[in-house]
Amino acid sequence: MNKAKITSSEKSVSTSSRTMSLLSQLEKINLDSVLGEANNARYVTSKILHLVQSQEKTRKEMTSKGSTGIEVILSTLENTKDPQTILNILNILIEVVSAGGGRRASVLVTKGGTQILLQLLLTTSKDSPPNEELMVLLHTLLAKIGPKDKKIGMKARINGALNISLNLVKQNLQNHRLVLPCLQVLRVYSTNSVNAVSLGKNGVVELMFKIIGPFSKKNTSLMKVALDTLAALLKSKTNARRAVDRGYVQVLLTIYVDWHRHDSRHRYMLIRKGVLQCIKSITNIKLGRKAFIDANGMKILYNTSQECLAVRTLDPLVNTSSLIMRKCFPKNRLPLPTIKSAFHFQLPVIPASGPVAQLYNLPPDVDDVVDESDDNDDAETESEIETENDDDKDQHFKNDDIETDINKLKPRQELGRPIEELKMYEHFFPELSENFQECDLVSKEPKPFVPDTNLSGPIVVPTAGEEHSGEVNQSTKGVALESNPLLTEEYNRRPAFLELPKKDSIRDSSLHQQNDQRNPLPTCQCLSQEIVNGLDRISLQNSAKNDQYYGTGCVIKKESKTSLTVLACNKPCEHVSPCGSSLFEGSSVQLGKLCCTGVDSEEEDSRSSSSGEQVTLEVSDVSPVHDCDLYIEMVKTTKSIPEYSEVAYPDYFGHIPPPFKEPILERPYGVQRTKISQDIERLIYQNDIIDRVVYDLDNSCCSVPEEADVLKFNSKFESGNLRKVIQIRKNEYDLILNSDINSNHYHQWFYFEVSGMKTGIGYRFNIINCEKSNSQFNYGMQPLMYSVQEALNSRPCWTRVGTDICYYKNHFSRSSIAAGGQKGKSYYTITFTVTFQHKDDVCYFAYHYPYTYSTLKMHLRKLESMNNPQQIYFRQDVLCETLAGNSCPLITITAMPESNYYEHIYQFRNRPYVFLSARVHPGETNASWVMKGTLEYLMSSNPSAQCLRESYIFKIIPMLNPDGVINGNHRCSLSGEDLNRQWQNPNPDLHPTIYHAKGLLQYMAAIKRLPLVYCDYHGHSRKKNVFMYGCSIKETMWHTNVNAASCDIMEDPGYRALPKILSQTAPAFCMGSCSFVVEKSKESTARVVVWREIGVQRSYTMESTLCGCDQGKYKGLQIGTRELEEMGAKFCVGLLRLKRIASPLEYNLPSSLLDIEKELIESSCKVTSPTTYVLDEDEPRFLEEVDYSAESNDDQDIELADNVGDYEATNQEDGLSDSDSTRILLS
């Protein structure tokens, strides 16, 4: 054994030394220009070739670092005139490159190999006839190293070698051995647009169509390479137009169909894909798309792709076909009269510039829906712009949005307003002057506290880890309906609504009682099969004396004689809502249809006869701060632009987190491809499309279909958003969202009601006018649904629903007016399918858990009524009125002083402030749920909460944009502007809440009482987990090239303390997603302005996911209100820890919390949009991620890179691999 090892070792050394010896000899031959050396060079190169062909070690050694082997070989190639030596060297280089992949080819390029080979090609071409063997080897080698040399096209053109390969093909069409490598080189040359145009003028496109043709088992390798070359050439718009003019689109389709029909064993998938790539390139221009449509290409590709679906290995064909069809699908305008909101609000002041000013300055006759871009996309001149920008483009990404001006980054505390003017905010800080002399606070024992009769019980601190028990108290479970026998059945069949005065106008229900006659309806065996065809009404009037609330539930008991008015109408009413509900001439607050659990008629009669004269509606386990009647009281004072008079059932009943976990949805393979295919069917089989409008905010005369199989929709309630619904197929509906008021975009938030459904049927909903380029709907997020039937069955909760969910670019075009001047933009579709559990249920769908302005008012009222004034200092002020006249609440919370002694009053007044705000963006409802968790924790009896109140004074603005929330906006206020971009210069007339919120902070700065922490709660639509954005000069500079300046910056790293604490205490929080970089596009946000102008070091935006978590305790789960409220509570716990480490006694912060150098986020960052700052690891690559390049002509030629295709096709064709499979990620 030992002898064998020694022999092997000696052999290895011998081989290595032999190779080096041969290379040394070759180098010496190059230096000695002596006659007869040609024979020596021929001999040495032949020996090296033998070693290279037989020894992988030799190939590695020649291209290893420090080796001069390649230089010696290339030097010999450049200097020798001997044909055999040249052939030997070319074979050596081919062997080295072929076995080593891309790295060895790159070594050859860096050593100047491309230039030497092109010069040799030029020299050889002058021979008559040229050496065929030499030409084959030269082109083979150039084809292998070409993709690694980004400037090979320019080099070939400058050297005059561009047409040599083309002429060789023309002259040797039947010589497939020579034509094949020549075509491969032409393909490499064609990646340069200037070369493609030049070759096109010399007839290369026509030449390719002489090579490709119908199905044949002969010369398939040549056919494949010719198709790849043609696809590269057709990326030039000039060549594509030439192909269209000569009718080649029809030819390509015919060829594709022929190969599709004959290739039954799918051995030639690469050829079929090559034909599709040519069609894809040609359809990048408008003429190509038109020719494709005229040639019936949509139907051809649709039918062939459907036949390929059964074979998984044919997915690349299906995906490429889908991409082509999407691109060629004729652009449609949104079926709207205008993209401006259906609701109008006249602004008190029109901005001088900006989108809102442009909106108001548009001529009234301008069609702002149509997209004019596709009419002039081919207006460019026939010749391509001859530049080499692609060659010289800097490949290193540079984030231009990161602020690099050190002077702008340094915080500069400035009041911005005169101190005399800021004194107007003094009355919001009575805690700084209150002496509590009239309060008996000496004893720490609280006085006996008698709760109000309306209280639901103590506030429970939200903790997501606590699960609701499956057992429910029988006394509060279910829906109890008790009344006299004459009323029971009518109560079960009617749409219940609360008639409550709106805008201080009170109607006497007795007027209706005199006009309507009682008309009992027949007994109903199954009450949930039919919800109200008539207009039977029950009015629950405001009678506080008769309202009773019980521990864990919301129970309404009304005395029949005094508070219950049953009205039955036997004639049609003119005021019928689209969902079958009715209004009392627009003066009442109305609930939609109420569906009740079916009850056997005999049992019903027996219950009715034994019951008293009262009706009881019980909803168990409602949140202790939810009060159904109080909610209605709050609705009365809420002012909306459409003057809503209906109340959505989820807002009335309330929401309890479901007791089960809701995992992030696992997306089935091919779902997006299927949905796009169904969209394409609309064009191909137009007779199958119903195309009927069933709901329209713009048309008040839109009739409600009477057919039983048509869903009914409604969004005319607070925070509702749904503008129009079109029935496409029997169970498929296109939904269009309303723009933000005084805006023509921001379509994302939706909240609407659906009724009239059947069970066992999958209903597909397509929201077709979304604008963001991607969404968490592509990564496992589901929309939310609330079933009234379930709520009446003691399960009032929003749940994640929907299957076959995806988000993709559609064929509806955005006008340049709607896209900020950009042309050719498309809308996106959210599509999901729902199967309902109950027939004729009333269900609500929402983008995220709704939280209305009226809910906030009710919540605050309940918290105030539950407050023990001897322990908690709670104060609610009105910061200002909004544009619509709604009040913006300002909350102050802290602990009452222990006594009215001086020491305790002094401690009370000198507590540091914490300033919190939320819901500046109406569509980010999760921010309100986090704020709810914060408020409930601060008001709880938890000892830590009491300690927290004793440590800080909290100033909280829980809803910065009430008008936007009320009217169903996604991002803006009534001014049509993003309020979180107005903090630098807020206008008191257009942005009153921001103006006065900033004024409060400026006043606090003026009196030297800056908050220790400012945090603005937000929601994030594209990332998972909860995380923070903060502000740091040093970290901002570290993400730029200005490293020298950042070295001298002294910065307190304390801004990282709170996020670090939260990452250790809050399960949903992720420190890795946090960023402390200051971007130019965010300079007008609350976070940056409060940091830069007010001088608050710990100024944050806390972003909560709309989807779920991918780390920690909740990994793989969608986020719910329980987790969001827990996050709000954990934020408070984090503040308590921050107080301990930031106190003067403990000023030296723990290194584990603030080790900024070691735990700095190293992720490279990029700005994906002006409003969204995203880390690179935002989302992993998804197998079926949308290919959004469907309408662009700038897609990179990935085929030439060394990428491995996503699809491992079985290729038995002449040993070809699918290395050129482009990553077409359509599903």
Side-chain angles (χ1 to χ4, degrees):
M1 289 294 291
N2 291 338
K3 186 176 181 180
K5 286 182 180 178
I6 293 170
T7 304
S8 174
S9 175
E10 287 176 348
K11 184 178 179 181
S12 175
V13 172
S14 173
T15 303
S16 175
S17 59
R18 188 177 178 189
T19 305
M20 296 305 297
S21 173
L22 290 170
L23 288 171
S24 298
Q25 291 180 45
L26 191 60
E27 188 175 9
K28 186 177 180 182
I29 292 170
N30 291 337
L31 296 174
D32 299 335
S33 300
V34 182
L35 292 175
E37 290 294 340
N39 291 331
N40 292 337
R42 192 181 310 140
Y43 172 77
V44 172
T45 52
S46 66
K47 290 294 183 182
I48 294 174
L49 176 60
H50 174 72
L51 286 174
V52 166
Q53 287 174 335
S54 59
Q55 301 284 342
E56 167 62 17
K57 184 175 179 62
T58 304
R59 295 193 289 268
K60 284 184 179 179
E61 187 178 351
M62 290 188 65
T63 55
S64 62
K65 284 187 178 181
S67 171
T68 59
I70 294 294
E71 286 99 323
V72 172
I73 293 290
L74 288 175
S75 176
T76 306
L77 181 64
E78 190 175 14
N79 296 321
T80 186
K81 304 297 182 184
D82 179 55
Q84 187 58 50
T85 302
I86 294 174
L87 291 175
N88 288 344
I89 291 175
L90 291 177
N91 277 307
I92 290 170
L93 293 176
I94 290 172
E95 287 291 335
V96 169
V97 172
S98 298
R103 193 193 67 81
R104 295 184 186 176
S106 298
V107 170
L108 194 56
V109 171
T110 56
K111 303 295 184 182
T114 308
Q115 196 71 34
I116 294 171
L117 292 172
L118 288 172
Q119 187 59 46
L120 180 61
L121 177 65
L122 189 63
T123 304
T124 307
S125 67
K126 294 177 182 177
D127 297 340
S128 183
N131 186 321
E132 179 182 324
E133 181 67 22
L134 189 55
M135 282 297 187
V136 169
L137 293 178
L138 263 175
H139 282 87
T140 301
L141 188 54
L142 282 170
K144 289 183 178 298
I145 71 170
K148 291 298 179 182
D149 189 346
K150 294 176 182 177
K151 296 189 178 183
I152 188 172
M154 183 179 65
K155 292 174 182 177
R157 190 170 62 253
I158 292 173
N159 275 19
L162 198 58
N163 289 320
I164 294 174
S165 303
L166 178 59
N167 292 330
L168 278 173
V169 175
K170 288 180 179 180
Q171 296 163 10
N172 300 274
L173 267 179
Q174 302 307 315
N175 187 348
H176 296 156
R177 182 171 177 270
L178 177 59
V179 169
L180 184 64
C182 289
L183 288 179
Q184 291 174 330
V185 172
L186 287 175
R187 178 188 177 214
V188 173
Y189 290 164
S190 300
T191 56
N192 180 289
S193 60
V194 180
N195 287 352
V197 173
S198 176
L199 290 168
K201 289 178 180 178
N202 289 328
V204 69
V205 175
E206 294 81 357
L207 182 63
M208 292 302 104
F209 277 94
K210 292 181 180 179
I211 299 174
I212 64 174
F215 178 80
S216 171
K217 293 184 179 181
K218 297 179 180 179
N219 305 319
T220 53
S221 297
L222 185 65
M223 175 82 170
K224 173 64 176 63
V225 175
L227 285 168
D228 290 343
T229 306
L230 180 60
L233 287 163
L234 291 175
K235 288 182 179 179
S236 158
K237 292 183 179 180
T238 304
N239 290 339
R241 276 190 291 273
R242 181 177 283 107
V244 172
D245 292 341
R246 285 160 175 73
Y248 289 149
V249 174
Q250 179 69 65
V251 173
L252 286 170
L253 286 169
T254 304
I255 291 174
Y256 181 72
V257 171
D258 189 63
W259 280 87
H260 172 80
R261 287 175 179 170
H262 290 92
D263 186 21
S264 57
R265 298 180 64 183
H266 314 302
R267 296 185 60 191
Y268 306 109
M269 190 194 73
L270 293 181
I271 291 180
R272 292 156 67 182
K273 184 182 173 186
V275 180
L276 290 177
Q277 291 290 355
C278 294
I279 298 174
K280 177 189 169 191
S281 296
I282 251 181
T283 50
N284 280 330
I285 63 171
K286 182 185 175 183
L287 285 174
R289 294 191 288 273
K290 184 177 183 302
F292 178 80
I293 295 292
D294 292 343
N296 203 23
M298 293 291 281
K299 195 164 187 176
I300 290 172
L301 290 195
Y302 174 82
N303 291 334
T304 54
S305 61
Q306 292 299 303
E307 293 169 9
C308 293
L309 285 175
V311 184
R312 187 71 173 264
T313 55
L314 298 182
D315 276 355
L317 302 183
V318 179
N319 293 336
T320 309
S321 297
S322 297
L323 182 61
I324 294 167
M325 289 187 286
R326 285 177 65 204
K327 183 166 48 175
C328 295
F329 201 117
K331 289 296 179 191
N332 292 351
R333 63 172 282 156
L334 274 181
L336 292 175
T338 174
I339 52 174
K340 291 183 288 188
S341 173
F343 308 133
H344 177 70
F345 177 79
Q346 183 61 42
L347 293 176
V349 179
I350 308 300
S353 60
V356 180
Q358 295 173 9
L359 201 68
Y360 272 81
N361 292 330
L362 277 179
D365 57 341
V366 169
D367 185 354
D368 61 353
V369 184
V370 69
D371 176 39
E372 69 284 357
S373 63
D374 204 38
D375 295 332
N376 56 12
D377 70 338
D378 293 327
E380 68 275 354
T381 57
E382 284 296 309
S383 60
E384 303 286 331
I385 301 173
E386 297 198 9
T387 60
E388 301 296 340
N389 291 339
D390 292 339
D391 295 326
D392 300 326
K393 191 178 294 182
D394 184 8
Q395 298 299 316
H396 298 289
F397 177 82
K398 182 180 179 181
N399 187 349
D400 293 329
D401 191 42
I402 295 180
E403 183 59 75
T404 56
D405 189 336
I406 193 70
N407 295 318
K408 289 185 178 180
L409 281 174
K410 288 181 179 177
R412 55 183 193 281
Q413 189 172 338
E414 52 188 37
L415 293 181
R417 293 162 66 180
I419 187 64
E420 293 77 14
E421 184 180 335
L422 291 174
K423 285 183 178 179
M424 64 183 288
Y425 300 106
E426 185 177 1
H427 72 281
F428 291 116
F429 295 86
E431 64 272 9
L432 297 181
S433 56
E434 176 68 57
N435 56 23
F436 299 97
Q437 293 305 311
E438 297 180 1
C439 302
D440 184 11
L441 300 173
V442 176
S443 174
K444 288 189 178 182
E445 292 296 321
K447 294 180 180 179
F449 176 62
V450 181
D452 184 81
T453 56
N454 287 343
L455 296 190
S456 303
I459 300 176
V460 180
V461 178
T463 303
E466 298 174 3
E467 298 292 341
H468 286 279
S469 171
E471 299 177 1
V472 183
N473 191 324
Q474 294 300 315
S475 63
T476 59
K477 186 176 181 180
V479 179
L481 299 174
E482 301 176 3
S483 67
N484 62 50
L486 294 175
L487 303 183
T488 303
E489 190 171 358
E490 292 201 42
Y491 180 87
N492 282 324
R493 290 179 58 85
R494 88 318 178 225
F497 65 94
L498 308 179
E499 180 179 354
L500 294 171
K502 189 172 181 69
K503 297 184 179 177
D504 301 323
S505 62
I506 302 176
R507 290 181 176 268
D508 188 355
S509 61
S510 62
L511 294 176
H512 298 279
Q513 206 166 6
Q514 295 169 5
N515 296 332
D516 293 313
Q517 309 230 339
R518 181 167 306 191
N519 183 17
L521 298 172
T523 302
C524 177
Q525 294 293 332
C526 185
L527 299 174
S528 55
Q529 290 182 358
E530 178 185 358
I531 304 180
V532 185
N533 289 327
L535 293 171
D536 313 318
R537 305 169 182 170
I538 286 188
S539 172
L540 302 180
Q541 297 179 354
N542 297 321
S543 178
K545 298 177 182 178
N546 300 317
D547 292 355
Q548 297 183 20
Y549 299 87
Y550 294 99
T552 60
C554 168
V555 184
I556 306 172
K557 292 190 176 183
K558 302 291 183 181
E559 293 298 331
S560 168
K561 294 180 180 178
T562 58
S563 302
L564 177 63
T565 306
V566 181
L567 302 161
C569 180
N570 54 12
K571 60 182 180 180
C573 176
E574 296 178 358
H575 303 286
V576 181
S577 76
C579 289
S581 306
S582 61
L583 303 177
F584 278 146
E585 299 177 5
S587 64
S588 62
V589 175
Q590 169 192 345
L591 278 170
K593 299 183 301 300
L594 182 65
C595 54
C596 302
T597 308
V599 183
D600 186 87
S601 58
E602 294 181 4
E603 295 177 0
E604 179 182 286
D605 290 340
S606 64
R607 286 182 55 197
S608 300
S609 60
S610 62
S611 66
E613 294 185 353
Q614 62 182 10
V615 174
T616 303
L617 173 64
E618 291 187 7
V619 180
S620 66
D621 292 335
V622 173
S623 168
V625 291
H626 190 87
D627 184 327
C628 302
D629 272 9
L630 181 57
Y631 182 80
I632 297 298
E633 290 294 325
M634 296 298 102
V635 170
K636 290 192 300 179
T637 57
T638 298
K639 300 173 183 177
S640 62
I641 301 308
E643 298 185 353
Y644 292 131
S645 55
E646 298 179 42
V647 175
Y649 270 107
D651 304 325
Y652 173 73
F653 281 135
H655 159 76
I656 305 169
F660 48 84
K661 301 295 184 184
E662 296 179 295
I664 290 174
L665 190 67
E666 193 169 325
R667 173 161 150 158
Y669 182 82
V671 59
Q672 182 166 286
R673 184 175 63 196
T674 302
K675 297 302 179 184
I676 292 173
S677 176
Q678 291 171 3
D679 288 349
I680 291 167
E681 289 173 7
R682 298 188 190 189
L683 182 68
I684 298 174
Y685 305 110
Q686 297 184 16
N687 293 334
D688 296 343
I689 304 303
I690 299 173
D691 198 28
R692 174 170 51 184
V693 177
V694 296
Y695 180 72
D696 193 353
L697 282 183
D698 296 292
N699 182 9
S700 57
C701 301
C702 179
S703 59
V704 180
E706 296 298 329
E707 290 88 345
D709 59 347
V710 177
L711 294 179
K712 300 171 181 62
F713 295 82
N714 183 29
S715 63
K716 298 175 182 176
F717 46 79
E718 186 176 348
S719 293
N721 191 318
L722 179 64
R723 181 171 187 167
K724 190 172 185 176
V725 180
I726 302 169
Q727 186 182 20
I728 300 300
R729 299 180 178 94
K730 183 177 180 181
N731 300 314
E732 181 179 354
Y733 297 84
D734 277 359
L735 283 60
I736 300 175
L737 304 180
N738 196 20
S739 301
D740 287 4
I741 294 176
N742 276 317
S743 171
N744 54 23
H745 54 141
Y746 297 119
H747 309 98
Q748 208 77 18
W749 167 257
F750 57 86
Y751 183 19
F752 57 87
E753 174 191 293
V754 178
S755 60
M757 66 283 292
K758 295 181 180 179
T759 57
I761 296 174
Y763 292 92
R764 178 181 172 184
F765 300 98
N766 311 309
I767 300 173
I768 62 173
N769 65 329
C770 298
E771 294 177 334
K772 290 192 175 182
S773 60
N774 206 346
S775 168
Q776 284 291 324
F777 283 115
N778 274 336
Y779 303 100
M781 185 170 82
Q782 295 173 280
L784 286 144
M785 189 185 83
Y786 190 105
S787 164
V788 174
Q789 182 70 64
E790 288 293 301
L792 293 173
N793 289 335
S794 304
R795 293 182 292 272
C797 62
W798 286 97
T799 55
R800 302 276 187 171
V801 298
T803 57
D804 295 344
I805 301 171
C806 55
Y807 186 97
Y808 58 91
K809 183 183 288 185
N810 60 35
H811 58 275
F812 292 101
S813 61
R814 293 168 62 185
S815 68
S816 59
I817 297 173
Q822 300 180 68
K823 295 183 178 181
K825 291 285 185 179
S826 292
Y827 286 105
Y828 294 81
T829 292
I830 299 172
T831 181
F832 56 93
T833 301
V834 175
T835 303
F836 297 98
Q837 295 182 359
H838 305 286
K839 183 181 179 183
D840 292 328
D841 196 356
V842 179
C843 293
Y844 292 79
F845 290 93
Y847 181 60
H848 199 65
Y849 301 93
Y851 191 101
T852 65
Y853 173 67
S854 298
T855 299
L856 172 68
K857 292 193 295 182
M858 174 201 68
H859 184 198
L860 294 178
R861 179 75 66 86
K862 293 293 288 184
L863 287 176
E864 188 171 14
S865 67
M866 293 172 176
N867 174 37
N868 182 346
Q870 289 185 313
Q871 290 184 349
I872 303 176
Y873 181 97
F874 179 96
R875 177 184 172 90
Q876 181 175 176
D877 295 294
V878 176
L879 176 64
C880 62
E881 280 200 347
T882 64
L883 293 180
N886 294 293
S887 60
C888 178
L890 170 67
I891 310 301
T892 305
I893 300 176
T894 188
M896 292 292 283
E898 293 185 26
S899 73
N900 54 16
Y901 293 156
Y902 171 78
E903 291 83 358
H904 292 152
I905 299 297
Y906 179 82
Q907 189 275 341
F908 174 87
R909 293 180 182 176
N910 284 277
R911 294 169 185 165
Y913 277 95
V914 170
F915 201 111
L916 306 177
S917 60
R919 205 67 184 282
V920 70
H921 295 144
E924 296 169 7
T925 57
N926 47 358
S928 282
W929 289 98
V930 176
M931 180 58 77
K932 179 176 183 286
T934 294
L935 288 169
E936 290 187 13
Y937 184 89
L938 289 175
M939 295 296 290
S940 72
S941 55
N942 189 304
S944 295
Q946 177 62 21
C947 183
L948 186 64
R949 290 191 295 266
E950 292 172 357
S951 301
Y952 297 108
I953 301 174
F954 288 86
K955 288 289 181 185
I956 302 174
I957 306 176
M959 193 171 284
L960 277 167
N961 190 355
D963 288 347
V965 172
I966 293 166
N967 294 287
N969 284 6
H970 175 67
R971 195 167 184 89
C972 299
S973 68
L974 293 185
S975 69
E977 297 167 296
D978 182 347
L979 290 183
N980 203 36
R981 296 297 184 276
Q982 310 303 323
W983 278 79
Q984 271 190 324
N985 296 295
N987 186 310
D989 297 317
L990 294 175
H991 326 116
T993 60
I994 305 302
Y995 181 82
H996 292 294
K998 186 177 181 181
L1000 281 179
L1001 288 158
Q1002 289 172 324
Y1003 175 76
M1004 296 172 77
I1007 63 172
K1008 310 299 181 186
R1009 294 300 302 271
L1010 276 180
L1012 178 69
V1013 171
Y1014 170 77
C1015 189
D1016 192 20
Y1017 292 1
H1018 282 255
H1020 206 290
S1021 65
R1022 302 198 207 187
K1023 296 180 71 175
K1024 291 183 171 69
N1025 310 311
V1026 182
F1027 51 94
M1028 276 180 160
Y1029 293 144
C1031 301
S1032 163
I1033 303 176
K1034 214 165 189 180
E1035 293 198 37
T1036 302
M1037 301 308 288
W1038 281 342
H1039 281 86
T1040 67
N1041 295 324
V1042 196
N1043 292 321
S1046 64
C1047 296
D1048 302 328
I1049 297 172
M1050 297 300 295
E1051 185 176 43
D1052 182 356
Y1055 62 88
R1056 272 182 161 257
L1058 183 57
K1060 277 282 191 178
I1061 292 169
L1062 292 176
S1063 69
Q1064 297 170 4
T1065 58
F1069 195 89
C1070 177
M1071 187 69 188
S1073 296
C1074 295
S1075 173
F1076 304 93
V1077 175
V1078 180
E1079 310 95 327
K1080 297 173 186 176
S1081 62
K1082 304 295 180 67
E1083 63 182 6
S1084 294
T1085 61
R1087 165 177 63 101
V1088 177
V1089 171
V1090 172
W1091 171 72
R1092 182 182 292 166
E1093 295 184 20
I1094 309 299
V1096 179
Q1097 184 203 24
R1098 296 179 176 92
S1099 179
Y1100 306 105
T1101 295
M1102 186 163 75
E1103 302 272 359
S1104 300
T1105 178
L1106 292 166
C1107 177
C1109 298
D1110 58 13
Q1111 53 86 47
K1113 177 181 175 182
Y1114 305 130
K1115 182 177 181 179
L1117 297 177
Q1118 295 185 76
I1119 203 158
T1121 57
R1122 182 188 289 113
E1123 290 77 25
L1124 292 169
E1125 291 182 51
E1126 180 196 55
M1127 186 64 238
K1130 293 293 186 183
F1131 181 83
C1132 296
V1133 175
L1135 289 173
L1136 193 57
R1137 291 197 180 184
L1138 180 68
K1139 171 67 175 176
R1140 291 170 183 162
I1141 67 172
S1143 63
L1145 296 178
E1146 302 177 38
Y1147 187 76
N1148 294 325
L1149 304 180
S1151 59
S1152 61
L1153 281 174
L1154 305 178
D1155 194 352
I1156 187 170
E1157 300 291 344
K1158 290 183 180 178
E1159 301 205 25
L1160 173 66
I1161 302 173
E1162 297 288 353
S1163 310
S1164 59
C1165 300
K1166 61 182 177 180
V1167 176
T1168 57
S1169 76
T1171 58
T1172 307
Y1173 189 77
V1174 185
L1175 293 173
D1176 267 349
E1177 66 273 14
D1178 187 4
E1179 283 299 336
R1181 293 286 296 180
F1182 193 78
L1183 179 61
E1184 297 177 331
E1185 184 180 347
V1186 185
D1187 184 345
Y1188 288 130
S1189 63
E1191 294 165 7
S1192 67
N1193 194 31
D1194 56 357
D1195 47 335
Q1196 296 179 355
D1197 190 5
I1198 308 174
E1199 299 164 74
L1200 295 180
D1202 287 326
N1203 291 7
V1204 178
D1206 283 348
Y1207 306 98
E1208 297 180 1
T1210 55
N1211 304 311
Q1212 305 172 20
E1213 172 192 341
D1214 303 319
L1216 289 176
S1217 66
D1218 194 14
S1219 62
D1220 58 290
S1221 294
T1222 305
R1223 181 183 287 261
I1224 304 173
L1225 299 172
L1226 282 167
S1227 52

